[in-house]
Amino acid sequence: MIRTNEEEKQMIRDRLAEIREKLLNEDILFNPQADALIRESNILNVKLKLMGG
């Protein structure tokens, strides 16, 4: 399926919202799962910025 730029940006925003929700419920200190979510969030934020969103 081919997605438009706006659809791709919305998918990224939705995933970032999911990550934020999960991080609110995680004990972040010394937590590998939280570290992975933070890394993914950072990558998605950069991608979104590069896409102009």
Side-chain angles (χ1 to χ4, degrees):
M1 178 182 158
I2 298 174
R3 292 186 294 265
T4 66
N5 192 34
E6 287 303 315
E7 289 171 330
E8 183 75 19
K9 288 193 283 188
Q10 188 58 49
M11 287 178 61
I12 291 171
R13 289 184 190 107
D14 292 345
R15 180 61 184 147
L16 286 168
E18 289 174 23
I19 290 171
R20 280 191 294 275
E21 188 68 31
K22 285 182 181 179
L23 287 173
L24 288 174
N25 297 318
E26 291 282 339
D27 182 17
I28 293 176
L29 195 60
F30 304 116
N31 183 334
Q33 178 65 25
D35 287 345
L37 289 171
I38 291 167
R39 281 193 300 277
E40 181 182 357
S41 175
N42 290 340
I43 291 166
L44 291 173
N45 276 307
V46 168
K47 184 174 181 180
L48 190 59
K49 189 165 197 91
L50 291 174
M51 294 175 77

